[in-house]
Amino acid sequence: MDKLLIEGGRRLEGSIAVSGAKNAALPILAAGLLTSDPLMVSNVPKLHDVATTLKLLAGMGVRSSQEGDCVTIDASTINAPHAPYDLVRTMRASILVLGPLLARFGEARVSLPGGCAIGQRPVDQHIKGLQAMGAQIGIEHGDVVAKSSRLRGARIITDMVTVTGTENLMMAATLAQGESIIENAAREPEVVDLANALIAMGARIEGAGSDRISIQGVERLHGASHRVMPDRIEAGTFLCAVAAAGGRLRLTSVTPSTMDATLEKLREAGAQIETGPDWIDLMMNARPKAINLRTAPFPGFATDMQAQMMAMNTVAEGAGVITETIFENRFMHVLEMQRLGADITIEGNTAIVRGVPTLSGASVMATDLRASAGLVIAGLVADGQTVVDRIYHLDRGYESMEAKLSGVGACIRRAS
Ligand code: EPU
């Protein structure tokens, strides 16, 4: 199993090009199931989760080809509309094939994702929404088994804001008969990126980016090409790293307007930030100031940035209060950060982080994707060597993280 070896304490300086967004690429690749024409997707990041998605689609009979960062999906033939457990358990986003399969083929069998390191993460809202569109859905042998004649448009009010839930229902509704309305919809930029890809395929969608999305179903969608938006979480992770370690960073191929909550917190921490249409400059010459934050659906502070901000807080001046409201168990990185000397107390869904002047390097274990990113940042500011084990989590969602960080002066390398 690969590990990352980090010698901390270096100032970071230079420029990083941000990759395409994982959480936009995955639903957009699943959207390829909605048409028998080729869908060409560019700016696709090289990630394990993307490889898993292509494997999942290949298992159904979908052909795909890859050239550089461009992936072409050809779902003209599907012989098995199934998402098996061995893939679903490694990537919960596999549930994103449920809506498209049902809408185009009238049947789907998708293994029910089991437990998860960061919270229970049920998919009841996906199921409830598809049932409202007329699907018959049951659980058989651990699989969600769904059947339907043509789906019917429906008004769906989700019980909570769910990102992949909104995406699944929006995709299903594109081919349903009549109008669907999704109320309490997720407003995340990745939902908007998916909607734009679907619109390019001929879907009639309005309101993506607001909490009310309306979709007029059409008979069929056609092929299209779409460029995936930049990864705002990858971008935020590198900004946090430099805010914690000190230095100067230029991010390119980024969309600052999708990152307001993160940029505001980094400014509060003392970072000087300038932005252009597709770049961000961050300069940090002093110890960061501790910040308080509360995760929330977009445009609130992203839960996917919580661990990285916490890492910055561990070496900040003062104390910061971090409240996680999206997932019940997303503080797994705290015990590992404590191994590096961080002063963190957890009370329920709140972590009180009292900044210490420096952390001290140690071996730590990554428990999920963003926890791993937080531990890498902690390693970059710790004295001596930090070894981050189980970085397969990191490889699921960050493209060449160690190469990008080495390029700005970090001492970090991968070892088997
Ligand atoms: N929820 C339910 N029932 C449902 C759906 C969601 O109770 O049917 C709950 C969840 O348990 C959670 C909350 O609603 O407490 C929000 O979950 P959401 O459905 O929004 O999460 P998701 O769609 O499974 C996506 C991202 C996550 C990101 C969350 C929140 C993708 C592929 N994944 O997950 O990304 O944390 O939204 O923003 O888009 C990551 O990239 O590391 C990651 C975990």
Side-chain angles (χ1 to χ4, degrees):
M1 224 180 285
D2 285 3
K3 315 166 180 221
L4 284 180
L5 310 183
I6 306 169
E7 292 289 336
R10 298 203 177 192
R11 196 181 143 84
L12 305 178
E13 190 145 352
S15 151
I16 294 178
V18 173
S19 297
K22 167 179 86 79
N23 289 346
L26 302 183
I28 291 168
L29 292 173
L33 288 168
L34 287 163
T35 173
S36 56
D37 296 342
L39 175 68
M40 214 172 91
V41 191
S42 58
N43 203 29
V44 177
K46 281 185 199 62
L47 304 173
H48 276 193
D49 274 7
V50 167
T52 305
T53 302
L54 296 178
K55 200 167 159 190
L56 181 70
L57 295 175
M60 298 174 187
V62 175
R63 280 169 304 207
S64 66
S65 59
Q66 255 172 299
E67 214 185 302
D69 69 7
C70 191
V71 175
T72 303
I73 299 286
D74 174 354
S76 49
T77 51
I78 296 277
N79 42 40
H82 301 162
Y85 185 54
D86 62 335
L87 292 177
V88 176
R89 73 193 164 91
T90 65
M91 190 187 69
R92 304 180 67 82
S94 308
I95 193 74
L96 285 164
V97 300
L98 179 62
L101 285 177
L102 193 57
R104 179 152 160 241
F105 302 99
E107 58 168 321
R109 178 183 276 267
V110 177
S111 181
L112 194 58
C116 175
I118 63 177
Q120 290 185 28
R121 306 183 75 183
V123 292
D124 54 308
Q125 300 302 307
H126 305 231
I127 292 175
K128 185 182 96 168
L130 293 171
Q131 282 170 332
M133 290 187 215
Q136 291 111 45
I137 303 187
I139 307 293
E140 286 173 23
H141 308 294
D143 295 338
V144 179
V145 179
K147 283 199 171 43
S148 163
S149 46
R150 187 172 179 197
L151 293 170
R152 297 186 303 270
R155 177 164 178 258
I156 299 157
I157 309 174
T158 56
D159 292 354
M160 77 289 296
V161 176
T162 157
V163 176
T164 50
T166 302
E167 292 168 343
N168 232 339
L169 298 176
M170 183 167 73
M171 287 191 280
T174 58
L175 291 180
Q177 184 159 34
E179 186 185 43
S180 297
I181 309 274
I182 307 172
E183 306 269 13
N184 199 24
R187 291 180 282 169
E188 268 65 6
E190 292 77 10
V191 173
V192 178
D193 205 31
L194 170 65
N196 288 337
L198 293 168
I199 290 167
M201 294 164 72
R204 293 176 58 198
I205 301 174
E206 279 176 16
S210 77
D211 60 5
R212 184 175 196 274
I213 303 179
S214 73
I215 305 114
Q216 286 291 344
V218 295
E219 293 283 336
R220 65 180 294 276
L221 296 180
H222 51 71
S225 56
H226 179 83
R227 185 175 171 80
V228 174
M229 64 175 277
D231 197 317
R232 62 192 172 104
I233 306 298
E234 188 204 17
T237 301
F238 291 130
L239 294 175
C240 270
V242 178
R248 183 196 276 266
L249 179 68
R250 166 156 285 210
L251 288 181
T252 58
S253 312
V254 65
T255 308
S257 58
T258 60
M259 297 179 58
D260 288 345
T262 296
L263 296 180
E264 195 179 306
K265 287 295 163 192
L266 289 166
R267 285 193 174 106
E268 244 178 83
Q272 283 167 262
I273 297 177
E274 281 178 37
T275 61
D278 59 357
W279 55 266
I280 300 176
D281 281 346
L282 177 143
M283 196 164 68
M284 190 70 154
N285 287 326
R287 192 175 164 193
K289 293 193 268 293
I291 46 128
N292 300 326
L293 69 88
R294 188 180 177 84
T295 63
F298 191 85
F301 189 88
T303 174
D304 288 346
M305 281 301 304
Q306 180 255 105
Q308 302 89 313
M309 278 286 178
M310 187 183 291
M312 185 192 75
N313 259 3
T314 63
V315 291
E317 222 177 287
V321 179
I322 295 185
T323 306
E324 171 59 54
T325 73
I326 307 291
F327 293 112
E328 318 85 85
N329 193 29
R330 215 174 193 182
F331 282 149
M332 300 280 277
H333 41 281
V334 167
L335 286 166
E336 301 300 307
M337 287 181 184
Q338 284 169 342
R339 301 200 71 252
L340 299 169
D343 181 350
I344 308 173
T345 313
I346 300 185
E347 282 178 24
N349 67 344
T350 296
I352 300 151
V353 189
R354 294 178 187 82
V356 295
T358 183
L359 300 178
S360 70
S363 289
V364 289
M365 203 130 74
T367 48
D368 75 78
L369 172 55
R370 308 304 170 184
S372 315
L375 293 174
V376 168
I377 295 175
L380 291 172
V381 296
D383 271 350
Q385 190 180 68
T386 294
V387 180
V388 183
D389 208 343
R390 300 203 178 167
I391 56 157
Y392 54 84
H393 293 294
L394 208 61
D395 294 332
R396 292 186 46 193
Y398 287 91
E399 180 173 334
S400 322
M401 185 189 238
E402 70 274 20
K404 289 188 180 186
L405 284 170
S406 304
V408 295
C411 183
I412 178 168
R413 70 183 170 87
R414 181 181 288 252
S416 292

